[in-house]
Amino acid sequence: MSVPEQETSQQATAPPPPEYAFAFEDSRRLTGSNLYFDGHGAALETRGDARLDADALAAWRRNIADVRDALDWPEGPIVVRVHASGASLAFVAPIDQLYAATEVAEWAWIAAAGPIAQDVLPPHAPGHAAYWDRASALATLRALAVAEANPALIELLEQARARGIPAHSDDEALSIGEGIGGRVWPIDALPPPSEVPWPQLHAIPTAVVTGSNGKTTSVRLLAAMARRHGWSTAYSSTDGLFVDSERVDSGDYSGPVGARTLLRQPSVQAAILETARGGILRRGVTPRDARVALVTNISPDHFGEYGIHSLEDLAQVKLTVARALGDDGLLVLNADDALLARQGPSLTWRIGWFALDDSHPLLAMHRADGGATCGVDDAGRLQLDYAGQRHDLGAVADMPLSFAGRARYNVANLAGAALAAVGLGVAPAQIAEVLASFGSHPGDNPGRLQRWRLGDSEVYLDYAHNPDGLRGLLEVAARGHGRLGLVLGQAGNREDADIRALAAVAASFRPDRVVLKDIESFLRGRAPGEVAAILRTELLERGVPEAAIQVCLDEVRAAAQLLEWAAPGDVLVMPIHNSDARDAVVALLDRLQLGQWRPGLPLAGEPTREVE
């Protein structure tokens, strides 16, 4: 069983001892194309209080160049990215010596940021390169690199590259080819090139999906379209790993671990890979020959991590997925997103544009030049233009995922997925068939805009995890004359301003009851109740009455308390994020609906979670 992404996001080496912990806060391997360059190497994040003068940064560059010369490593980019909280330092290194590369990055920075008194440094810091004199450091780094080097791996990777066959390696294994066209070998038992069945190995159709909102929905749509095409299809997401709709592992697999695991499944003929910001920044993007890369949108989220402090920064991170494309791949972008619309035309990849309005100027201009587009026409029908042909995919109001056209963000997901699917190789008629039915069954898109009718009341459950996502959810749900109840929480690794922004969106819809929660396993350094306290303060400042705010830190119990508060005609909105909590809440709502429960009646029993 693979390890979920959140458990593999640790530093490549242990953090520095306290005596010199000021020097950097994160050192990691880059195992794929990344924000800094198209390749693999190492990255280091300096601390905000480190000395970031030009001389220190120039010294770091020189130190990296000196070590690469000493180790006979090939030349490549050496990147210094200064930002509000310090600097990101990255450089290209051999893929079979990336642990040594993190040691190189650390020594090069500590040596550059000095002077550091020798008497405070241990002579041999465990897990780190030698930090005393330069000659000793270079000798130690050379020994680390020699010990890690794997010439057999490099030879096989070069042979695969020469044949145009994708290959993926990690600490445990090397795979050449993908899915039904792949083979996997243990990293310590690699075959000679003559024993590799090269004629049998090949890539499979692959799509990479990223964005701030709508990733998982788009992945599920694409996977359904690929299955309708007849491919045995795997997909990865924040909910787990799936092969032909069957979950083979649970957890957050929206990064390189999930991608490699699915691309090594021997029965798989196509793969749809959710690719989150964190995985891109920590390790990079796994595929290098994808047919499609889809960016759904860019909205404020996760600011402050890895030097990402603005929407422009975040857009650069998301657009890294374009480096996963093969030579003839299609980059699918949202023309309604101002940042993507501004940056897209300057990109060198083949682009397809989608938008809510088929007459969007960017789409019209792109079609005139023979480009691919997808959007909704004046008659409310989704129109796909590809390879010079126009395809009517059906009335948007009849597509279950659109909620009769009210869920505008899902209409955007439908358009983006349709355009990505045709780029993947799915026939337009098959795409239209999926759009006409997807979302009619709760199992199609669990945890995303699910709705239950409980008498005269409605309950909406969604993953909405940032201000834009919450606003879209509330715009769909908050209508009519009943009261509005809301469960509200946020992950702990957001800045205080981001947490307050989420509360501001909630307050703008004038909820009659807000139950504040924690997100189990997403506290990420925050004390229990700390996020709820920030949300509560902002809600009060935005005019939500104190009597309307309740705190219940457990997600499942928070949902139950909102149900206990409800009266006939109320609308309840439940953004539930932890997968175990969501499963428990969904089971509770299914049971209540089946038992014809109505608001005002007591809940029969307490909701429970499955514990493995």
Side-chain angles (χ1 to χ4, degrees), residues 543-586:
V544 177
E546 186 171 5
I549 303 173
Q550 183 177 358
V551 177
C552 179
L553 298 184
D554 181 85
E555 276 197 289
V556 178
R557 185 58 195 154
Q561 289 189 6
L562 194 62
L563 287 163
E564 290 168 348
W565 166 85
D570 288 349
V571 174
L572 310 182
V573 178
M574 300 181 180
I576 305 294
H577 305 93
N578 179 278
S579 58
D580 289 339
R582 187 193 64 214
D583 291 346
V585 173
V586 168

Side-chain angles (χ1 to χ4, degrees), residues 220 439-448 450-452 586 590 593:
R220 290 168 174 166
S440 59
H441 187 277
D444 290 341
N445 200 26
R448 270 67 178 179
Q450 289 182 266
R451 179 177 61 176
W452 288 260
V586 168
D590 285 345
Q593 188 174 58

Side-chain angles (χ1 to χ4, degrees), residues 137-279:
L138 290 175
T140 301
L141 293 169
R142 186 180 298 110
L144 290 171
V146 169
E148 188 183 356
N150 190 336
L153 171 65
I154 297 301
E155 183 178 13
L156 287 170
L157 290 173
E158 290 176 349
Q159 292 270 354
R161 187 178 304 111
R163 291 171 168 81
I165 302 173
H168 308 290
S169 65
D170 54 31
D171 293 347
E172 304 297 330
L174 166 69
S175 54
I176 302 178
E178 297 168 340
I180 62 169
R183 288 282 301 275
V184 184
W185 295 269
I187 204 72
D188 57 358
L190 297 175
S194 60
E195 295 183 6
V196 175
W198 298 106
Q200 303 172 26
L201 306 181
H202 57 80
I204 60 174
T206 300
V208 179
V209 179
T210 194
S212 297
N213 295 301
K215 294 187 296 294
T216 299
T217 295
S218 298
V219 162
R220 290 168 174 166
L221 271 167
L222 268 170
M225 293 168 182
R227 291 194 301 272
R228 185 63 59 93
H229 186 69
W231 289 323
S232 173
T233 303
Y235 74 86
S236 61
S237 74
T238 53
D239 287 336
L241 301 176
F242 297 78
V243 176
D244 288 333
S245 300
E246 295 296 322
R247 181 154 60 185
V248 298
D249 210 344
S250 59
D252 183 352
Y253 282 99
S254 58
V257 171
R260 284 193 300 269
T261 301
L262 289 188
L263 291 172
R264 290 171 175 170
Q265 297 295 311
S267 65
V268 168
Q269 297 172 295
I272 316 297
L273 307 174
E274 182 171 337
T275 306
R277 168 212 56 88

Side-chain angles (χ1 to χ4, degrees), residues 479-559:
R479 67 190 196 286
H481 304 292
R483 300 180 303 170
L484 173 64
L486 173 66
V487 172
L488 188 65
Q490 181 60 288
N493 62 340
R494 268 57 167 192
E495 294 181 336
D496 287 5
D498 298 326
I499 297 172
R500 291 194 298 269
L502 189 74
V505 169
S508 70
F509 284 82
R510 301 184 180 279
D512 299 280
R513 174 59 60 96
V514 182
V515 183
L516 300 176
K517 62 170 184 173
D518 274 344
I519 305 176
E520 185 178 341
S521 77
F522 286 83
L523 292 177
R524 294 172 176 171
R526 299 269 190 179
E530 182 180 349
V531 170
I534 297 171
L535 292 168
R536 182 178 184 277
T537 298
E538 186 68 20
L539 289 171
L540 291 171
E541 292 181 358
R542 296 276 178 168
V544 177
E546 186 171 5
I549 303 173
Q550 183 177 358
V551 177
C552 179
L553 298 184
D554 181 85
E555 276 197 289
V556 178
R557 185 58 195 154

Side-chain angles (χ1 to χ4, degrees), residues 393-449:
L393 300 180
V396 168
D398 294 336
M399 299 175 183
L401 204 65
S402 78
F403 274 61
R406 298 198 314 272
R408 291 171 60 83
Y409 62 91
N410 265 352
V411 175
N413 291 332
L414 293 166
L419 188 52
V422 74
L424 195 65
V426 181
Q430 296 167 330
I431 295 171
E433 290 173 3
V434 172
L435 296 178
S437 62
F438 190 91
S440 59
H441 187 277
D444 290 341
N445 200 26
R448 270 67 178 179
L449 198 54

Side-chain angles (χ1 to χ4, degrees), residues 51 64 105 125 214 263 272 299 323 474 476 486 539 541 599:
R51 282 154 281 185
I64 295 296
L263 291 172
I272 316 297
S299 64
R323 290 176 169 163
L474 288 171
V476 174
L486 173 66
L539 289 171
E541 292 181 358

